[in-house]
Amino acid sequence: MRGPKETTYEISMDAYAMILNCCEKYYDNLAWKYPDTCNYCHSNLSLDRKIFDIALENEIPNLFRKEGCVVAPSRRYNVFDRKTKYDSYDQYSLLDLIEFIALYCNNYEKYYDNECEHSYLVFNNLNTAFLSFKKEINDIFELMGILYILTDKKQVERIIQNSPITKEVENSINTIQENETKKLLCEAIDLHRSHYPEAPRDAAEKIWDAFERLKTYYTSLDKKHSIEKIVSEMSINNPNYKKLFDDEFKALTDIGNQYRIRHHETDKINITDNRYYDYFFNRCLSLIALAIQYLK
C-alpha cells in the first residue's frame, strides 16, 4: 500500500523540467503577442522566439538560462573529482513564467494558405487554452507533491495546509464595515497565498496591522474601551470566555511587540524559521476571523 505523498514548496530539478516542458507546449499560444509574420501575406505563422526571448529576459531576468536560452537546470558528473554538480536556479522565476504564460495564453486555430504554401494561426477569445494549461500545470504540482496551484486569477498561489482561511472567513471579511480593516485583511491573505519567498513575512506584518486596526473598530471609544467592547460581544458576557479572549488579545499584542513582525529594533526577537510566519499568521487570523462575526 502506498503511503501518504510527501509535500513540499521546493521544486526539484525533475519537477522543473516537467513544468518547463509544459510551458513550452503553450509558447505558440503567445504568438498573438509576439508574432512571426509572413512577409508576403502578413499572416501569423508562429511565435517569434527571438522577440519572445528578449521579452522574457526583461520580464523574468532570473529565469534559468544557458548560453542565453531558457532551459531546464541539470546535474553533471565530473569524472575528475567524482562529484555530481548541480545547476543552481531560482524556482520562483519558473513560477513567474507560469503566470506569464497564463496571462497571455490565447486560443488559436491553425489554417493552411495555399497561395503562400504555409500554415498560419488565427486567434480567438476562447479561454480553452488557458484552462488546458492550468490543468496540466496543476496536475504536475499534484503529481510531484508541490504545494502550489495555478488559479483562475492566473496567479500561482501557495497551498497552505491546515489554514484558517476558508470561503466563510473571506465572506465574513467582506462584511466588515470599516474599509481600512477590510483592505488590510484582504492584502494580508493575498500575501499569505503568494509564492514569493518573502511573502509569509510580509503577510504576518500585514495581519498584525489589521489586528491593531481592529482594536480601534469602535471609533466612538478609545482603544482600550473598543477592545473591551469587542471582547464583551465575542464572549456574550460569559466570564470564562471573556478571560480567554482577553488573554488572547494580550498574547497577540505581546507577540507583535516582542518579535520582529511589525517592529525591527535590536531588542526584538528574530524569526529564525520562515515556517513560524505561517504559525503567527494563522493564530492572529483565527482570532480576527472569530471577532469579526460579532462586530456591529
Side-chain angles (χ1 to χ4, degrees):
M1 181 176 178
R2 181 177 296 179
K5 181 185 295 184
E6 291 186 10
T7 55
T8 180
Y9 290 117
E10 302 300 319
I11 298 177
S12 67
M13 278 191 178
D14 291 338
Y16 193 113
M18 291 179 67
I19 292 168
L20 181 61
N21 180 66
C22 180
C23 290
E24 289 172 341
K25 284 171 56 180
Y26 288 84
Y27 278 179
D28 272 351
N29 294 92
L30 280 68
W32 67 271
K33 186 172 177 63
Y34 308 105
D36 180 13
T37 57
C38 173
N39 292 330
Y40 179 73
C41 66
H42 306 294
S43 58
N44 191 337
L45 305 179
S46 63
L47 179 77
D48 187 324
R49 284 302 302 264
K50 182 178 180 181
I51 300 301
F52 176 65
D53 287 342
I54 292 172
L56 278 186
E57 192 151 359
N58 283 276
E59 293 282 349
I60 316 174
N62 293 328
L63 190 61
F64 184 80
R65 294 173 174 83
K66 281 187 178 178
E67 299 179 359
C69 297
V70 174
V71 295
S74 59
R75 55 181 70 83
R76 300 172 305 283
Y77 182 74
N78 191 312
V79 295
F80 298 104
D81 57 16
R82 296 184 179 179
K83 291 182 180 178
T84 301
K85 294 187 177 181
Y86 300 86
D87 289 327
S88 60
Y89 56 92
D90 176 9
Q91 71 171 40
Y92 303 103
S93 291
L94 180 64
L95 298 178
D96 288 341
L97 177 63
I98 293 172
E99 291 184 340
F100 185 82
I101 292 173
L103 182 61
Y104 297 116
C105 183
N106 281 358
N107 202 62
Y108 67 81
E109 298 288 341
K110 183 175 284 191
Y111 298 93
Y112 189 80
D113 187 320
N114 290 313
E115 183 178 351
C116 291
E117 297 183 339
H118 61 61
S119 297
Y120 63 96
L121 310 179
V122 175
F123 285 83
N124 55 53
N125 293 323
L126 297 177
N127 204 34
T128 53
F130 165 67
L131 294 176
S132 175
F133 177 65
K134 182 179 71 136
K135 183 181 185 307
E136 288 195 48
I137 288 294
N138 288 336
D139 284 348
I140 295 172
F141 285 152
E142 183 176 1
L143 174 68
M144 304 300 285
I146 301 171
L147 293 172
Y148 295 110
I149 186 170
L150 177 59
T151 70
D152 289 333
K153 296 184 291 183
K154 302 185 177 182
Q155 296 174 339
V156 176
E157 294 182 352
R158 290 197 304 154
I159 296 174
I160 300 105
Q161 296 176 314
N162 304 315
S163 171
I165 302 173
T166 63
K167 287 184 178 179
E168 290 75 19
V169 167
E170 292 190 271
N171 289 338
S172 64
I173 287 172
N174 288 327
T175 67
I176 298 174
Q177 299 298 310
E178 208 282 304
N179 285 331
E180 190 61 26
T181 303
K182 183 193 301 183
K183 179 172 176 285
L184 288 169
L185 285 168
C186 290
E187 289 174 352
I189 289 172
D190 286 344
L191 284 167
H192 187 60
R193 287 172 168 158
S194 171
H195 65 265
Y196 291 107
E198 68 277 5
R201 178 198 66 202
D202 295 340
E205 180 176 352
K206 190 69 70 174
I207 199 74
W208 248 265
D209 290 343
F211 175 62
E212 291 300 322
R213 181 84 180 187
L214 179 70
K215 292 179 184 178
T216 61
Y217 185 82
Y218 293 109
T219 55
S220 62
L221 304 172
D222 61 25
K223 189 174 188 177
K224 178 175 180 295
H225 290 96
S226 178
I227 296 171
E228 289 177 355
K229 182 173 175 61
I230 293 170
V231 170
S232 177
E233 290 168 349
M234 291 173 66
S235 62
I236 319 176
N237 293 315
N238 182 310
N240 295 312
Y241 285 102
K242 184 177 184 303
K243 182 179 186 309
L244 174 69
F245 297 137
D246 268 333
D247 290 346
E248 188 65 359
F249 264 92
K250 184 178 186 306
L252 290 174
T253 299
D254 290 344
I255 289 171
N257 290 334
Q258 295 170 10
Y259 290 80
R260 285 191 65 185
I261 295 174
R262 300 180 69 240
H263 307 288
H264 304 280
E265 295 87 346
T266 55
D267 63 336
K268 303 308 175 190
I269 301 170
N270 287 327
I271 312 296
T272 55
D273 188 321
N274 280 346
R275 289 170 290 188
Y276 297 164
Y277 286 117
D278 283 346
Y279 161 74
F280 287 135
F281 181 94
N282 291 341
R283 181 170 176 180
C284 191
L285 180 62
S286 293
L287 181 64
I288 292 172
L290 179 63
I292 60 181
Q293 296 179 57
Y294 295 88
L295 297 177
K296 296 178 180 177

